[in-house]
Amino acid sequence: MEHHRNAETISRNERGADLARFFGTWIRHPIKMGAVAPSSPRYCATMVGASTTRIDGPILELGPGLGVVTRALLNAGVAPERITSIEYDREFAQTLRERFPRVNVIQGDGFDLDATLGDGGATKFAAILFAIPIVHMEQAERQALFSTYFRRLLPGGNLTQLSYLWKPPVKAVAGVFDVSSTPIVWDNIPPARVWIYSQTQPTHLAGAVH
């Protein structure tokens, strides 16, 4: 019981310290950060629940920050060895390595996976969890970016996105991906939803009767 209370105290202290760190970094780089605070545990769990982590294969996390979604993945039973987390901020990436030593943390650009992963596009992922701000980009750029991500997904895999916007940040691309969302998570700061981008089914499958 005492151990459980100590763990809760450490968790609360960590969240408080992360909030201060996150906000301080946002003050310095608001466009790069996007969010003013780490996402709530419920919001992160919602994202993980909407992701296709059940498919066998590696998981790609883009913009993990200080690891709130990473922790939600682990809490959901995803093996840390399956997770590759790409974080742009050098200090945040170092913190992630310390907190999650068995997760493959890469400090680099999540917008250019070929260069960051250095695999020539060979690695395919079961799911991509996306939390990089893209509101400064034109819609066509966003669609082109997500289309490149979909070339990195295994069959049936999806891309989930944390966003405060009330409409899809990235519009569907015909023949590539469709868009849906979870209900709003009201305990996040600010309230937000998870946008779910799913591979478009071929017409002959979409209309099939089971």
Side-chain angles (χ1 to χ4, degrees):
M1 185 69 175
E2 185 63 31
H3 174 76
H4 180 67
R5 283 198 296 268
N6 289 342
E8 286 185 342
T9 300
I10 292 171
S11 180
R12 286 196 299 270
N13 291 342
E14 185 179 277
R15 286 198 296 270
D18 282 357
L19 180 60
R21 253 180 98 182
F22 203 94
F23 185 68
T25 304
W26 181 85
I27 289 292
R28 296 192 300 274
H29 308 290
I31 294 178
K32 291 180 181 178
M33 291 294 292
V36 298
S39 300
S40 73
R42 183 175 299 176
Y43 191 26
C44 295
T46 299
M47 184 185 207
V48 171
S51 300
T52 48
T53 59
R54 65 188 179 280
I55 295 175
D56 186 29
I59 306 297
L60 180 62
E61 187 185 10
L62 299 176
L66 290 168
V68 285
V69 174
T70 315
R71 195 176 300 283
L73 283 165
L74 298 175
N75 288 344
V78 176
E81 292 82 5
R82 292 181 63 196
I83 305 170
T84 292
S85 297
I86 298 177
E87 171 54 46
Y88 185 82
D89 185 89
R90 190 175 302 276
E91 292 184 6
F92 281 11
Q94 182 56 37
T95 297
L96 289 168
R97 293 189 186 103
E98 294 167 358
R99 290 181 176 175
F100 312 107
R102 293 164 58 194
V103 169
N104 179 27
V105 177
I106 300 173
Q107 192 269 316
D109 185 0
F111 289 148
D112 189 352
L113 294 186
D114 287 356
T116 301
L117 294 175
D119 64 353
T123 308
K124 306 294 183 183
F125 297 93
I128 297 175
L129 294 87
F130 184 89
I132 303 176
I134 57 173
V135 293
H136 62 287
M137 299 171 65
E138 296 292 335
Q139 181 63 222
E141 292 180 285
R142 302 180 198 180
Q143 290 175 304
L145 176 67
F146 274 32
S147 293
T148 65
Y149 291 152
F150 268 78
R151 292 198 287 270
R152 287 277 190 164
L153 283 170
L154 291 166
N158 71 8
L159 185 154
T160 48
Q161 179 187 22
L162 297 176
S163 176
Y164 310 132
L165 299 182
W166 300 100
K167 60 182 180 179
V170 183
K171 296 179 182 178
V173 174
V176 181
F177 59 82
D178 302 314
V179 188
S180 59
S181 74
T182 67
I184 297 170
V185 179
W186 292 101
D187 74 348
N188 196 65
I189 303 174
R193 70 182 78 205
V194 176
W195 292 96
I196 305 164
Y197 302 86
S198 304
Q199 297 177 36
T200 301
Q201 287 187 321
T203 304
H204 69 282
L205 292 180
V209 177
H210 300 282

